């Protein structure tokens, strides 16, 4: 039997954050709100020096990674990410478990919104490329500059959201449904 998502995530976080939290990280450990876990990803928010930051830790086929919307947290590694790791290890129950919405179950605007929130543009572009459609070709087909598409894609991963993020995901989904690989 395979290990539960929560169990796998816990073990990965334990091995990546095995030491003690720094003094800077400690201040944030009990301060998170809107904490949730979807599968092997946790997300929470915290009040930082320059506003509210969104912080996440994800375990996927590439291993464990973290990201934060603060100005140094682009690729993870800031003390908010460290604090989130320790907050999860200390009190997993404070993270609301969210069941991912499956694409087949999208049947109204509310479920569409949930689905779009639960899938990254990165993942959708990867699916396109598995169907033989490059990021560049997709961007050009909807008359978006490939550079702009890249910006939308990478910004989402560090919790900065372009207004057209949802619409771009929808465009990907349409292409995935309707344009079949040759
Ligand atoms: Zn940060």
């Amino acid at each position: 039997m395979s290990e539960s998502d929560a169990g796998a995530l816990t073990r990965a976080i334990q091995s990546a954050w095995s030491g003690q939290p720094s003094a800077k990280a400690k201040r944030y450990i009990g301060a998170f709100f809107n904490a949730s876990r979807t599968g092997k990803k946790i997300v929470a928010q915290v009040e930082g020096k320059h506003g509210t930051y969104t912080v996440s830790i994800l375990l996927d086929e590439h291993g464990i990674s973290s990201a934060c919307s603060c100005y140094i947290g682009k690729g993870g590694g800031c003390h908010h990410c460290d604090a989130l790791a320790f907050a999860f290890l200390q009190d997993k129950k404070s993270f609301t478990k969210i069941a991912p919405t499956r694409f087949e179950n999208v049947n109204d605007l509310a479920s569409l919104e949930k689905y779009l929130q639960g899938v990254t543009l990165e993942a959708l572009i990867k699916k396109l490329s598995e169907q033989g459609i490059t990021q560049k070709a997709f961007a050009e087909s909807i008359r978006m500059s490939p550079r702009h598409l890249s910006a939308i894609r990478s910004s989402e991963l560090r919790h900065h959201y372009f207004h057209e993020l949802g619409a771009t995901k929808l465009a990907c989904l349409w292409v995935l449904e309707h344009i079949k690989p040759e």
Side-chain angles (χ1 to χ4, degrees):
M1 204 179 119
S2 69
E3 195 181 13
S4 74
D5 286 346
L9 182 62
T10 303
R11 269 196 317 121
I13 290 178
Q14 275 168 343
S15 69
W17 281 274
S18 55
Q20 289 295 314
S22 68
K24 274 185 173 176
K26 258 184 192 158
R27 282 186 291 146
Y28 293 104
I29 293 175
F32 287 99
F33 54 95
N34 290 338
S36 66
R37 178 179 67 80
T38 311
K40 287 178 274 190
K41 183 180 185 177
I42 51 171
V43 184
Q45 291 181 301
V46 76
E47 216 52 61
K49 275 188 189 144
H50 303 281
T52 304
Y53 302 136
T54 301
V55 194
S56 63
I57 295 176
L58 164 73
L59 175 66
D60 64 11
E61 67 272 26
H62 306 296
I64 195 105
S65 60
S66 57
C68 177
S69 61
C70 80
Y71 64 101
I72 58 163
K74 187 174 168 181
C78 63
H79 39 264
H80 309 113
C81 293
D82 293 343
L84 183 66
F86 289 104
F88 183 69
L89 294 178
Q90 277 179 18
D91 185 12
K92 272 168 250 176
K93 290 201 183 79
S94 64
F95 288 73
T96 308
K97 188 178 162 190
I98 298 176
T101 303
R102 295 170 63 86
F103 183 58
E104 308 85 84
N105 297 337
V106 173
N107 53 13
D108 57 14
L109 292 179
S111 54
L112 173 64
E113 183 186 357
K114 275 197 190 133
Y115 177 78
L116 292 177
Q117 280 199 349
V119 65
T120 59
L121 183 58
E122 166 108 342
L124 292 172
I125 289 174
K126 209 173 149 206
K127 276 191 193 173
L128 283 177
S129 87
E130 284 162 9
Q131 288 206 9
I133 299 167
T134 64
Q135 177 170 328
K136 183 169 179 284
F138 167 68
E140 284 168 353
S141 75
I142 59 168
R143 300 235 170 149
M144 179 184 275
S145 89
R147 184 188 289 258
H148 187 67
L149 180 60
S150 281
I152 300 173
R153 171 186 181 164
S154 58
S155 295
E156 182 186 24
L157 299 178
R158 37 182 234 270
H159 307 297
H160 291 279
Y161 308 110
F162 278 77
H163 291 301
E164 59 271 48
L165 174 63
T168 310
K169 287 180 183 177
L170 271 179
C172 282
L173 288 168
W174 191 93
V175 170
L176 283 168
E177 280 277 290
H178 295 274
I179 314 282
K180 297 296 169 206
E182 293 181 20

